[in-house]
Amino acid sequence: MNYFEFYGIDESFTPDTALLKKKFYELSKKYHPDFYATESDEKQQEILELSTLNNKAHQTLSDPYKRLEYILKTHNLVSDGAKPQLPSDFLMEMMDLNERLMEVDDANELGHITAEVLAIEGDIDERIAVLTADYASLDDTAKESRLNEIADCYFRSKYLLRIKESLNTFASRF
């Protein structure tokens, strides 16, 4: 079941957090397994599944990164193990950063690379914020186009995450 449908709210990258929490608590009470202890095994299993769904939905929709990934997955723009097609200029920039990182000699140089990576990450995050801000108000055609742009940013950020992990590894050397 779609988490947004489960909570009875519109798909949004920026849902009303108070409403989200309210729906979670309402369903937590409604589907609490202790209230169904005397029911049949089938009913208890159904309630347990609904309670689990409620917890997963809340964990996903209350975390901005998980929510973004979830929305992209529901629109088949992200799948486990899929290799995204990133623009060659971005890949060249990342390759250059990786090469410079492999050759880093001192903490000062590592600091410059780290600052550069954080600036790129900031740009990606800012672009995602702009793209998601008015998403709910778009028509279906515009949403589809916007989702593709958001997916591109998502894949860039995932790629950048690997470089940030390398930065952490190299930082321990200095």
Side-chain angles (χ1 to χ4, degrees), residues 109-120:
E109 191 177 349
L110 182 65
H112 288 296
I113 295 170
T114 300
E116 199 173 326
V117 168
L118 293 175
I120 295 167

Side-chain angles (χ1 to χ4, degrees), residues 8-9 19 22 30 32 52 58 60 65 76-77 107 109 117 124 128 146 153 161 167:
I9 59 176
L19 177 61
K22 179 182 175 189
K30 182 177 179 179
H32 196 286
T52 301
H58 185 259
T60 300
Y65 183 79
N76 298 315
L77 294 170
E109 191 177 349
V117 168
I124 292 170
I128 288 173
R146 185 68 60 88
C153 291
L161 181 62
L167 279 170

